Amino acid sequence: MARVYNFSAGPSQMPEPVLRTAAAQMLEYGSSGQSVMEMSHRSRDFEEILHSCESLLREVLSVPDNYKILFIQGGASMQFAMVPLNLMNGSGKADYVVSGQFSKKAWKEAARFGDAKVLASSEEKTFSYIPPVDPALIRPDADYVHICYNNTIYGTAFPAPVETGSIPLVADMSSCFLSRPVDVSRFGLIYAGVQKNLGPAGMAVAVIREDLIGKARENTPTMLDYATYANNDSMYNTPPCWCIYMCKLVLEWIRDEVGGLAAMEKRNLEKAAILYDYLDRSALFTPCVPDPKDRSIMNATFVTGDKELDAKFVAQAAAAGFVNLKGHRSVGGMRASIYNAMPKEGVEKLVAFMEEFEAANRR
Ligand SMILES: *Cc1c(COP(=O)(O)O)cnc(C)c1O
């Protein structure tokens, strides 16, 4: 068996020890005589898995007591609708920072339900920077402000949460969830599709302040109401049991093997520095995000400036075991997603490969 270094933006590489544990428990979980995949979601074994996933996440992310953790199917994209359905019900206004395709989709979805304003946008420069937000432009009666914290496609990230005063800040953290410590109390709601940094595809996690639950508009479908999840331990219906189990294993890995989010951040900063330092000194590759303060530590985007050379690089890299380095179809170039599970060694070897490629293709 030869596992590749997988730089996919999502679904993405999982920690190898987690895959090994899952493999060892595949046929029989504990002494249950069954796989987690086969269990009743109402069984004691599964209820324990779900509750420990929840409590591990609470511990690892330091989630305050007045926040609920919800497990919801439908991915991050379904949150684009759940957020306005549940939260846009005071003034019916919400302010969106459009810093990439996902935040634009979120804004468009909200505009179907109420008055959704674009607070700031970086679209005119292909989302290659984080648009500064003038706090004076935030409508004082907005029901919330929405940002996408890490822009997966472009490789940008907010250096800090937007200051919104008493207006709840809602953040899509799909591609930076659990990559570093976060002060949850600065947000009304954090959501993340888990397939980037926490588990296999099939679920989103929502971390929501309790007072924001129970305000859904009247004809909100039951399954799109946060209260349904909060009041039923995320088990109103059959949850994505296997996905929750895998997330639990990843959380154990973060806590017990990595040493928590501060240690995770240190690893991630080291990895990102190795890659960006090289991109900044390379004569062949150019990082797509010029301002270091806007750069994502999870997704690094870069180009050679020559589409054919980009394609050649992606193909040769794949042949050498560095896969999924092709940039998003909307922007081209290259993207290396170096999520939590990517070991430092994977980034070091990628950079060594890029140096060789540069030497062989000097212009
Ligand atoms: C991947 C991604 C999404 C979409 O996630 P789905 O689970 O596929 O709906 C939304 N936002 C961000 C920031 C993402 O990285």
Side-chain angles (χ1 to χ4, degrees), residues 17-30:
V18 166
L19 295 177
R20 289 188 188 284
T21 304
Q25 296 177 343
M26 178 60 80
L27 289 180
E28 182 177 23
Y29 178 78

Side-chain angles (χ1 to χ4, degrees), residues 146-161:
H146 181 281
I147 61 172
C148 178
Y149 214 92
N150 186 88
N151 298 284
T152 325
I153 296 173
Y154 308 92
T156 62
F158 280 79

Side-chain angles (χ1 to χ4, degrees), residues 94-111:
D95 292 353
Y96 278 70
V97 180
V98 173
S99 55
Q101 259 185 43
F102 289 120
S103 45
K104 190 169 177 184
K105 282 184 178 163
W107 162 67
K108 280 199 168 157
E109 191 77 351

Side-chain angles (χ1 to χ4, degrees), residues 9 74-78 80 102 148-153 172-175 191 193-196 203 339:
S77 301
M78 200 170 78
F80 299 167
F102 289 120
C148 178
Y149 214 92
N150 186 88
N151 298 284
T152 325
I153 296 173
D172 176 354
M173 288 203 184
S174 296
S175 48
Y191 64 86
V194 299
Q195 74 276 20
K196 310 285 163 67
M203 186 171 85
Y339 294 120

Side-chain angles (χ1 to χ4, degrees), residues 125 127-130 154-156 276 280 286-295 301:
K125 283 193 181 164
F127 299 119
S128 57
Y129 67 100
I130 293 291
Y154 308 92
T156 62
Y276 284 118
D280 282 334
T286 313
C288 298
V289 180
D291 189 342
K293 86 169 169 10
D294 289 347
R295 287 179 184 164
T301 51

